[in-house]
Amino acid sequence: MDQQNRPARARAPAKRITLPRARKPAEIREIFERFRAANPEPKGELESVNAFTLLVAVVLSAQATDAGVNKATRPLFAIADTPEKMLALGEDKVRDYIKTIGLYRNKAKNVVALCEKLIAEFGGELPTTREALESLPGVGRKTANVVLNIAFGEITHAVDTHVFRVSNRLRLAPGKNVLQVELGLEKAIPEEFGRHAHHWLILHGRYTCKALRPECGRCIQNDLCDSPDKRVV
């Protein structure tokens, strides 16, 4: 039988992902009350001097550590803390400042391009809507959410890898992708915790509920957690 006339092999059915059941509102409240008691005023770890430099720092943080970004941006922000000053530096000099950060060439290009757009279309000021922020080069939904939350005080939930992991493990907002988790958190988290929620979740995922070796023995949510990733100690 020649190759053209061979019967096609049946495709294996796609593996179905079953999401865990979301927690009850009272349980979610208890989780965030514990986060608040342990750390009443959580802060993001990216350093900035104003809303513009916050935006730049978040753009630079993609696939990079906050510590690495801070090391590069301290001298950069000391001389370029506005779109006009950053644009005056030019792409080559911006690239020199951030060359220790991953993907620095493309990031330098985006930083200069977003400065051009901020000056041309927004008078050098940061826009205050997600749609407008996302129109800037290098700015996606997560970056826009961080800026809206930290710079403008809005309740937004920026879902990075840590927030995604913790939200699924603690069954706060089970989801197959970051948008599902973000929208689930919007519905699940009581408003009084909304301002700081994503900071608590990021810090918990970064330092306690780690991807490979979660430190369950010192977790303040240990007795509430029923994740299959939980490490019994």
Side-chain angles (χ1 to χ4, degrees), residues 46-48 50-61 77 83 111 114-115 118 125-127 133-134 136-140 143-144 146-147 151:
L46 283 174
E47 297 174 4
S48 61
N50 55 31
F52 167 70
T53 55
L54 172 66
L55 173 65
V56 172
V58 180
V59 168
L60 296 178
S61 71
F77 293 161
V111 167
L114 73 82
C115 289
L118 283 173
E125 300 292 327
L126 254 63
L133 285 167
E134 286 189 63
L136 299 171
V139 178
T143 296
V146 173
V147 173

Side-chain angles (χ1 to χ4, degrees), residues 170-217:
L170 286 179
R171 296 192 287 113
L172 298 170
K176 298 177 184 178
N177 56 59
V178 294
L179 184 58
Q180 280 186 355
V181 170
E182 179 187 334
L183 298 179
L185 291 173
E186 285 182 359
K187 294 178 181 178
I189 297 175
E191 185 175 354
E192 67 184 279
F193 303 112
R195 180 75 171 80
H196 294 314
H198 93 270
H199 283 127
W200 283 317
L201 296 175
I202 288 172
L203 295 172
H204 190 63
R206 182 174 291 162
Y207 297 112
T208 304
C209 194
K210 300 174 183 178
L212 298 180
R213 296 180 66 85
E215 298 185 16
C216 303

